[in-house]
């Protein structure tokens, strides 16, 4: 069987045929060049308007890199025609395997982009003997295509999340779709200001915006403001994941300042390495951590007491009736306000302040998929950690859309990977 037969099977073109296939010597890597010819009588297509137009002249031959075969680099070689178009003037023809000035074929770009979903980009570049830049451009192409072709109608529930992405206070605002059948990243914006979130609604059509009935977020004021302004009819839920996250941050703060104080006063550093015992739920502790927690419980420390308050609060989420839940919430807040533990008191105050939005959790039960903000948040964090080499916002944005956006892809004759 000839290579041409294989190519016609995996990458057939209507108006072009494959010609001679030759080894290229002296490149350091095994390389094949495949000639491509236009079919006789086939008229070139104007790249401006997409209509067949009479030929004008031919440009010098160009090489287009194709998907490698058995570790062999493959190039298509073709001299592009220019056409004389009555509406666009003299333009270069459109060919089915490549776009614009890009020297990678479309199939190769999708090939690299798909691998970049599974592996770090520099690894993809090294495995396929290409540059990081080519992988980046391929992902960019895939993301733009996917965003242009994705369907944003009929989104019912969204989750708004903030995530830290560099040392210091650099945040991203992420918007997810969080329905049972469809969990995906919809939007990434820099920072966590009102405008960060508002940019998402500016992007949506009015109908798409109206279809949103539930929105989950944390207690970050700029988000609360924009949700109130943009989604007047939707039920706004302060969700379990975000509230427990805030509580964990408070416990961590209590533990850190207490550990520092104990050490200063010359006590045993019992709180060192105890972070995970305090932050984990009791049933998730390992045997060793349970011993540590038992040891910690002997001291009547603020950290331990805030841990117990947090454990106590978990019961809140198990209520089914908002009436009983609110009774519990109020009592919990009263107990916590008496505790003299400042970070926990701050939590209690903000829970009281946003009481209605928290109770919406019970009203929205079953409508939003409970663990989904947490699941997507974890995936986004892993993605950011893996891409530690990424310095710029643009790259992290592309990478997040690429791995979490569930973006559509075109139909191919052949799946190369
Ligand atoms: Zn034209």
């Amino acid at each position: 069987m000839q290579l041409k037969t294989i190519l016609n099977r995996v990458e057939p073109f209507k108006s072009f045929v494959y010609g001679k296939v030759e080894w290229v010597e002296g490149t350091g890597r095994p390389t094949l060049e495949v000639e491509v010819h236009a079919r006789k009588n086939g008229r070139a297509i104007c790249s401006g308007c997409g209509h067949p137009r009479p030929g004008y002249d031919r440009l010098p031959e160009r090489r287009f890199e194709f998907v490698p075969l058995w570790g062999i680099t493959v190039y298509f070689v073709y001299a592009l025609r220019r056409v004389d178009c009555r509406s666009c003037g003299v333009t270069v023809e459109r060919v089915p395997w490549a776009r614009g000035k890009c020297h990678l074929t479309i199939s190769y770009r999708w090939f690299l982009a798909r691998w970049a979903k599974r592996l770090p980009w520099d690894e993809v570049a090294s495995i396929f003997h290409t540059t990081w830049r080519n992988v980046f451009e391929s992902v960019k192409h895939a993301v733009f295509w996917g965003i242009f072709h994705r369907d944003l109608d009929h989104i019912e529930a969204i989750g708004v999340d903030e995530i830290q992405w560099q040392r210091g206070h650099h945040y991203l605002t992420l918007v997810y779709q969080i329905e049972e059948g469809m969990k995906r990243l919809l939007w990434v914006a820099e920072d966590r200001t009102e405008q960060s979130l508002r940019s998402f609604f500016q992007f949506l059509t009015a109908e798409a915006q109206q279809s949103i009935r539930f929105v989950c977020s944390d207690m970050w004021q700029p988000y609360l403001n924009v949700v109130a302004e943009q989604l007047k009819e939707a039920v706004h839920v302060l969700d379990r994941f975000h509230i427990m996250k805030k509580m964990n941050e408070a416990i961590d703060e209590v533990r850190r300042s207490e550990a520092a104080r104990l050490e200063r006063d010359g006590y045993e550093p019992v709180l060192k390495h105890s972070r995970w015992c305090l932050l984990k739920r009791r049933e998730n502790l390992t045997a060793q951590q349970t011993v540590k927690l038992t040891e910690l419980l002997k001291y009547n420390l603020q950290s331990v007491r805030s841990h117990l308050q947090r454990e106590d609060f978990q019961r809140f989420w198990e209520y089914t009736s908002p009436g009983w839940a609110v009774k519990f919430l109020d009592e919990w807040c009263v107990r916590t306000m008496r505790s003299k533990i400042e970070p926990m008191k701050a939590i209690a105050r903000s829970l009281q302040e946003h009481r209605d939005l928290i109770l919406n959790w019970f009203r929205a039960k079953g409508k939003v998929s409970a663990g989904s903000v947490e699941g997507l948040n974890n995936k986004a964090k892993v993605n950011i950690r893996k891409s530690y080499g990424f310095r710029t916002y643009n790259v992290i944005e592309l990478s997040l859309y690429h791995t979490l956006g569930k973006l559509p892809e075109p139909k191919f004759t052949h799946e190369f990977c």
Side-chain angles (χ1 to χ4, degrees):
M1 198 198 309
Q2 284 196 316
L3 185 54
K4 271 203 273 186
T5 318
I6 299 176
L7 282 168
N8 277 322
R9 174 99 167 230
V10 299
E11 186 93 342
F13 305 125
K14 229 195 250 164
S15 322
F16 297 85
V17 293
Y18 293 107
K20 258 194 313 193
V21 181
E22 279 184 333
W23 285 107
V24 185
E25 301 303 335
T27 52
R29 288 197 48 76
T31 304
L32 285 175
E33 278 184 358
V34 181
E35 282 180 5
V36 179
H37 303 290
R39 275 187 208 280
K40 299 222 164 57
N41 314 325
R43 285 172 93 193
I45 307 291
C46 167
S47 58
C49 59
H51 291 294
R53 297 294 188 214
Y56 180 78
D57 64 356
R58 233 173 224 288
L59 297 172
E61 272 185 352
R62 253 178 70 183
R63 301 204 304 172
F64 302 87
E65 191 169 355
F66 188 60
V67 182
L69 174 78
W70 302 324
I72 305 166
T73 307
V74 179
Y75 288 103
F76 292 167
V77 181
Y78 179 70
L80 290 160
R81 292 169 286 180
R82 288 204 296 172
V83 297
D84 190 4
C85 175
R86 55 184 137 87
S87 18
C88 314
V90 173
T91 58
V92 180
E93 71 172 313
R94 176 192 290 174
V95 290
W97 61 85
R99 287 284 171 272
K101 291 198 165 47
C102 187
H103 61 283
L104 306 178
T105 58
I106 296 168
S107 295
Y108 189 37
R109 284 207 267 183
W110 282 103
F111 176 85
L112 290 176
R114 280 187 171 186
W115 276 108
K117 247 182 216 176
R118 306 164 185 161
L119 297 173
W121 299 1
D122 48 356
E123 245 174 77
V124 176
S126 104
I127 290 171
F128 299 108
H129 306 283
T130 186
T131 59
W132 186 90
R133 191 86 217 162
N134 280 341
V135 178
F136 165 79
E137 291 294 341
S138 302
V139 171
K140 188 167 150 188
H141 166 255
V143 168
F144 282 17
W145 196 96
I147 285 183
F148 185 78
H149 289 91
R150 70 180 172 172
D151 181 9
L152 291 185
D153 294 338
H154 319 298
I155 295 171
E156 278 201 11
I158 60 168
V160 183
D161 195 21
E162 56 176 44
I163 199 159
Q164 217 168 352
W165 74 286
Q166 275 181 336
R167 275 172 203 287
H169 289 276
H170 291 281
Y171 288 91
L172 299 175
T173 295
L174 306 181
V175 182
Y176 310 114
Q177 182 173 3
I178 49 166
E179 286 151 49
E180 215 35 84
M182 189 50 148
K183 299 183 184 75
R184 59 174 169 168
L185 174 69
L186 297 172
W187 192 250
V188 184
E190 229 171 333
D191 224 330
R192 49 171 181 170
T193 61
E194 288 193 1
Q195 188 47 37
S196 317
L197 181 55
R198 204 177 282 119
S199 66
F200 168 67
F201 295 107
Q202 285 161 345
F203 177 80
L204 287 185
T205 62
E207 294 83 60
Q209 186 161 342
Q210 271 158 20
S211 73
I212 300 173
R213 291 167 51 227
F214 299 96
V215 50
C216 290
S217 80
D218 63 8
M219 294 178 268
W220 181 241
Q221 198 58 45
Y223 293 164
L224 301 182
N225 296 347
V226 175
V227 170
E229 154 202 305
Q230 297 288 328
L231 297 173
K232 292 192 180 69
E233 305 297 320
V235 179
H236 186 178
V237 183
L238 297 183
D239 65 295
R240 179 176 185 162
F241 164 65
H242 279 120
I243 288 171
M244 296 323 281
K245 189 171 135 196
K246 276 272 161 296
M247 222 174 264
N248 286 344
E249 283 166 16
I251 293 179
D252 214 23
E253 195 186 325
V254 174
R255 186 195 60 85
R256 264 185 282 115
S257 63
E258 196 158 54
R261 203 179 59 230
L262 282 174
E263 201 160 339
R264 209 171 45 232
D265 298 350
Y267 288 103
E268 265 183 277
V270 275
L271 287 173
K272 279 230 173 110
H273 313 295
S274 61
R275 178 159 187 261
W276 294 109
C277 309
L278 291 171
L279 292 185
K280 272 191 179 175
R281 297 203 59 184
R282 196 173 294 196
E283 58 264 33
N284 299 334
L285 293 173
T286 63
Q288 208 189 353
Q289 286 171 329
T290 311
V291 175
K292 188 103 195 173
L293 183 63
T294 321
E295 188 188 330
L296 280 173
L297 287 172
K298 282 191 270 176
Y299 295 78
N300 185 21
L301 297 172
Q302 290 200 338
S303 323
V304 177
R305 279 189 288 138
S306 9
H307 170 79
L308 293 174
Q309 277 165 338
R310 196 265 318 261
E311 280 304 285
D312 186 24
F313 192 80
Q314 295 286 9
R315 278 160 51 205
F316 174 70
W317 306 107
E318 271 130 46
Y319 283 97
T320 42
S321 114
W324 287 105
V326 75
K327 199 164 170 293
F328 176 86
L329 178 70
D330 290 345
E331 285 167 7
W332 187 90
C333 288
V334 169
R335 284 198 298 276
T336 303
M337 290 309 285
R338 284 202 207 109
S339 72
K340 302 197 181 84
I341 304 173
E342 225 17 83
M344 292 306 281
K345 281 166 72 180
I347 295 280
R349 271 193 296 271
S350 79
L351 290 179
Q352 278 298 310
E353 197 181 322
H354 303 301
R355 211 158 159 255
D356 280 343
L357 298 185
I358 295 167
L359 289 171
N360 277 343
W361 163 266
F362 298 95
R363 296 181 189 119
K365 244 185 187 171
K367 307 286 191 346
V368 297
S369 162
S372 44
V373 175
E374 181 168 15
L376 286 158
N377 174 283
N378 285 337
K379 282 188 191 156
K381 273 200 267 183
V382 169
N383 190 277
I384 289 175
R385 217 177 305 136
K386 262 205 290 195
S387 42
Y388 48 86
F390 300 169
R391 293 272 169 263
T392 66
Y393 168 72
N394 285 344
V395 177
I396 203 78
E397 183 188 24
L398 280 179
S399 162
L400 284 167
Y401 277 125
H402 193 49
T403 43
L404 299 177
K406 291 206 176 135
L407 295 173
E409 289 182 5
K411 281 261 168 282
F412 297 100
T413 316
H414 176 72
E415 304 283 331
F416 286 96
C417 62

